[in-house]
Amino acid sequence: MKIAFEPEQQALAAGFERAVGALAKPEALRALWDDETGRSPKLWEAVVGMGLPAILVPEDCGGFGGGLVDLALVLESVGRHAVPDALLEALVTGPVALARAGSPEQRERWLSGIADGSQRVTVALRGLASVPDAHVSDLLVYRQGDDLLVVDLEGCTVTRQTVMDPSRRQFAVEVPEGAAEVLPGSAGALDIVLAHEAAGSASVLIGLSQRMIDDTVAYAKVREQFGRVIGSFQAVKHQLADATARIQMASFQVHAAAAKVAGDADDARFAALAARQVALDAAFEANRAALQLHGGIGFTWEHDLQIWLKRGKALEQAHGNRGEIADEIGAAVLARL
């Protein structure tokens, strides 16, 4: 199986890296904490300008008909820069759910608007108590049992939740009786959507984990104790090397999972779950090592590291925690016997 990225995919990711690197600096993220929406219109304009919402939208609906592997490196950049927007939902799971499960009328009604950025979609596959970016989205795709439903958020009650990460806006959503429409292809599409969620969120975790370790390596080169930079201590080197090894090993599995999901492989769901699990392990270790080697200062409000520490902890729970993913892997294994 080929898992190397094409030059076009690398160029797209490099362009996004430059854009988000300029628009999502730590000082810009901090400024958004006090903003009413917490979202940067310039960042969303950049996302739309690069055509990212259209990549997973089918060509007959105004999109590019791409696959998850086309966005895998972009999603890593989302994690690396702690982008506040729920881009996994807006660029991946939302378009995929509507494209794979929607009726021809539903696809025509919503997907062209998503592709050109005039409509924004968010997704809740694990309940309506904590929906990301419901305040800036037009549509919500959510799971109810084995069904996927879609609803216009304008008619819903949206209540902001208190969360630890001030950038990650979460909302409880109440859907009025009869307001939602069932996506008729849910039975065949649910596993596909869940696979995109698991593999896509794993990509975000890889980028986020690498950023925490990169920043910690930089800190270890300048922070001194006992007259030496702490990076010269073997105990510090070992922690950074262990975390780096976990991230690198996980990234191979995450890239392979993205390729399987993009190719609709028979074991795509299993591969995506396994990738999410190893990415969670890598993120947990990166988070632990980064905090320990920075000491208490790393968790203070004034230090930038806390942005990534809190985002990492939030994303460990957002798309299935380690226990839930382990249970799903077990169920997937039994289903294959």
Side-chain angles (χ1 to χ4, degrees), residues 126 269-270 273-274 277 280 320-335:
R126 301 174 187 274
R269 171 89 168 113
F270 179 78
L273 287 169
Q277 191 73 332
L280 282 169
N321 61 38
R322 291 201 290 181
E324 292 168 339
I325 296 298
D327 288 344
E328 293 180 34
I329 290 174
V333 170
L334 291 174

Short mmCIF file of all heavy atoms in Angstrom, two decimals, residues 126 269-270 273-274 277 280 320-335:
data_model
loop_
_atom_site.label_atom_id
_atom_site.label_comp_id
_atom_site.label_asym_id
_atom_site.label_seq_id
_atom_site.Cartn_x
_atom_site.Cartn_y
_atom_site.Cartn_z
N ARG A 126 -21.15 11.81 18.93
CA ARG A 126 -21.15 11.23 20.27
C ARG A 126 -22.02 12.03 21.23
O ARG A 126 -21.67 12.23 22.39
CB ARG A 126 -19.71 11.14 20.78
CG ARG A 126 -18.84 10.29 19.86
CD ARG A 126 -17.37 10.29 20.22
NE ARG A 126 -16.62 9.59 19.18
CZ ARG A 126 -16.43 8.28 19.14
NH1 ARG A 126 -16.92 7.53 20.10
NH2 ARG A 126 -15.75 7.72 18.16
N ARG A 269 -12.08 1.09 8.77
CA ARG A 269 -12.56 1.46 10.10
C ARG A 269 -11.61 0.95 11.18
O ARG A 269 -11.26 1.68 12.12
CB ARG A 269 -13.95 0.87 10.31
CG ARG A 269 -14.51 0.99 11.73
CD ARG A 269 -15.28 2.26 11.94
NE ARG A 269 -16.02 2.22 13.20
CZ ARG A 269 -15.74 3.00 14.22
NH1 ARG A 269 -14.78 3.89 14.15
NH2 ARG A 269 -16.45 2.93 15.34
N PHE A 270 -11.16 -0.28 11.05
CA PHE A 270 -10.24 -0.85 12.02
C PHE A 270 -8.91 -0.09 12.02
O PHE A 270 -8.36 0.26 13.08
CB PHE A 270 -10.00 -2.33 11.72
CG PHE A 270 -9.04 -2.99 12.66
CD1 PHE A 270 -9.46 -3.38 13.93
CD2 PHE A 270 -7.73 -3.22 12.28
CE1 PHE A 270 -8.56 -3.98 14.81
CE2 PHE A 270 -6.84 -3.82 13.16
CZ PHE A 270 -7.25 -4.21 14.42
N LEU A 273 -9.32 3.32 13.74
CA LEU A 273 -9.40 3.21 15.20
C LEU A 273 -8.03 2.95 15.80
O LEU A 273 -7.65 3.53 16.82
CB LEU A 273 -10.37 2.09 15.58
CG LEU A 273 -11.86 2.37 15.38
CD1 LEU A 273 -12.67 1.09 15.55
CD2 LEU A 273 -12.34 3.43 16.36
N ALA A 274 -7.29 2.02 15.16
CA ALA A 274 -5.94 1.72 15.66
C ALA A 274 -5.04 2.95 15.59
O ALA A 274 -4.25 3.21 16.51
CB ALA A 274 -5.35 0.57 14.86
N GLN A 277 -5.86 5.29 18.36
CA GLN A 277 -5.38 4.80 19.65
C GLN A 277 -3.88 5.10 19.84
O GLN A 277 -3.46 5.58 20.89
CB GLN A 277 -5.63 3.29 19.78
CG GLN A 277 -5.41 2.73 21.18
CD GLN A 277 -6.50 3.15 22.15
OE1 GLN A 277 -7.13 4.19 22.01
NE2 GLN A 277 -6.75 2.33 23.16
N LEU A 280 -3.40 8.77 20.32
CA LEU A 280 -3.76 9.16 21.68
C LEU A 280 -2.63 8.85 22.65
O LEU A 280 -2.31 9.66 23.53
CB LEU A 280 -5.03 8.43 22.12
CG LEU A 280 -6.36 8.97 21.57
CD1 LEU A 280 -7.49 7.98 21.87
CD2 LEU A 280 -6.67 10.33 22.19
N GLY A 320 -13.78 10.31 21.08
CA GLY A 320 -13.63 8.98 21.66
C GLY A 320 -12.35 8.91 22.47
O GLY A 320 -11.27 9.09 21.91
N ASN A 321 -12.48 8.67 23.79
CA ASN A 321 -11.27 8.58 24.61
C ASN A 321 -10.62 7.20 24.45
O ASN A 321 -11.12 6.34 23.73
CB ASN A 321 -11.57 8.91 26.08
CG ASN A 321 -12.58 7.94 26.67
OD1 ASN A 321 -12.56 6.73 26.38
ND2 ASN A 321 -13.48 8.44 27.51
N ARG A 322 -9.52 6.99 25.15
CA ARG A 322 -8.77 5.75 24.94
C ARG A 322 -9.59 4.50 25.30
O ARG A 322 -9.50 3.49 24.62
CB ARG A 322 -7.47 5.80 25.75
CG ARG A 322 -6.52 6.83 25.18
CD ARG A 322 -5.09 6.57 25.60
NE ARG A 322 -4.88 6.84 27.02
CZ ARG A 322 -3.70 6.71 27.62
NH1 ARG A 322 -2.66 6.30 26.94
NH2 ARG A 322 -3.57 6.98 28.88
N GLY A 323 -10.37 4.60 26.37
CA GLY A 323 -11.20 3.44 26.74
C GLY A 323 -12.27 3.15 25.69
O GLY A 323 -12.50 1.99 25.32
N GLU A 324 -12.91 4.22 25.21
CA GLU A 324 -13.96 4.05 24.20
C GLU A 324 -13.39 3.49 22.90
O GLU A 324 -13.99 2.63 22.26
CB GLU A 324 -14.66 5.39 23.96
CG GLU A 324 -15.48 5.87 25.15
CD GLU A 324 -15.92 7.32 25.00
OE1 GLU A 324 -15.29 8.07 24.22
OE2 GLU A 324 -16.88 7.70 25.69
N ILE A 325 -12.23 4.03 22.49
CA ILE A 325 -11.62 3.55 21.24
C ILE A 325 -11.19 2.09 21.40
O ILE A 325 -11.34 1.28 20.47
CB ILE A 325 -10.42 4.44 20.85
CG1 ILE A 325 -10.91 5.87 20.55
CG2 ILE A 325 -9.71 3.87 19.63
CD1 ILE A 325 -11.87 5.99 19.40
N ALA A 326 -10.66 1.74 22.57
CA ALA A 326 -10.26 0.35 22.80
C ALA A 326 -11.47 -0.58 22.69
O ALA A 326 -11.39 -1.66 22.10
CB ALA A 326 -9.61 0.21 24.18
N ASP A 327 -12.61 -0.14 23.26
CA ASP A 327 -13.83 -0.96 23.14
C ASP A 327 -14.26 -1.11 21.68
O ASP A 327 -14.68 -2.18 21.24
CB ASP A 327 -14.96 -0.30 23.94
CG ASP A 327 -14.75 -0.43 25.44
OD1 ASP A 327 -13.91 -1.26 25.86
OD2 ASP A 327 -15.43 0.31 26.19
N GLU A 328 -14.15 -0.01 20.92
CA GLU A 328 -14.56 -0.05 19.51
C GLU A 328 -13.61 -0.93 18.70
O GLU A 328 -14.04 -1.64 17.78
CB GLU A 328 -14.61 1.36 18.95
CG GLU A 328 -15.72 2.22 19.56
CD GLU A 328 -15.76 3.63 18.99
OE1 GLU A 328 -15.45 3.80 17.81
OE2 GLU A 328 -16.09 4.56 19.74
N ILE A 329 -12.32 -0.90 19.05
CA ILE A 329 -11.37 -1.78 18.35
C ILE A 329 -11.72 -3.25 18.64
O ILE A 329 -11.72 -4.09 17.74
CB ILE A 329 -9.92 -1.46 18.80
CG1 ILE A 329 -9.49 -0.11 18.25
CG2 ILE A 329 -8.96 -2.56 18.33
CD1 ILE A 329 -8.14 0.35 18.76
N GLY A 330 -12.03 -3.53 19.91
CA GLY A 330 -12.41 -4.90 20.26
C GLY A 330 -13.64 -5.36 19.49
O GLY A 330 -13.67 -6.48 18.96
N ALA A 331 -14.63 -4.48 19.39
CA ALA A 331 -15.84 -4.83 18.66
C ALA A 331 -15.54 -5.03 17.17
O ALA A 331 -16.09 -5.94 16.53
CB ALA A 331 -16.89 -3.72 18.83
N ALA A 332 -14.63 -4.19 16.63
CA ALA A 332 -14.28 -4.32 15.22
C ALA A 332 -13.54 -5.64 14.96
O ALA A 332 -13.75 -6.28 13.93
CB ALA A 332 -13.40 -3.13 14.79
N VAL A 333 -12.70 -6.02 15.91
CA VAL A 333 -11.98 -7.30 15.76
C VAL A 333 -12.97 -8.46 15.78
O VAL A 333 -12.90 -9.37 14.94
CB VAL A 333 -10.94 -7.46 16.90
CG1 VAL A 333 -10.38 -8.88 16.89
CG2 VAL A 333 -9.81 -6.45 16.73
N LEU A 334 -13.89 -8.44 16.74
CA LEU A 334 -14.88 -9.53 16.83
C LEU A 334 -15.74 -9.59 15.57
O LEU A 334 -16.11 -10.68 15.11
CB LEU A 334 -15.76 -9.32 18.06
CG LEU A 334 -15.06 -9.50 19.42
CD1 LEU A 334 -15.98 -9.13 20.56
CD2 LEU A 334 -14.55 -10.93 19.57
N ALA A 335 -16.05 -8.41 15.02
CA ALA A 335 -16.89 -8.39 13.82
C ALA A 335 -16.18 -9.00 12.62
O ALA A 335 -16.84 -9.45 11.67
CB ALA A 335 -17.30 -6.94 13.50
#
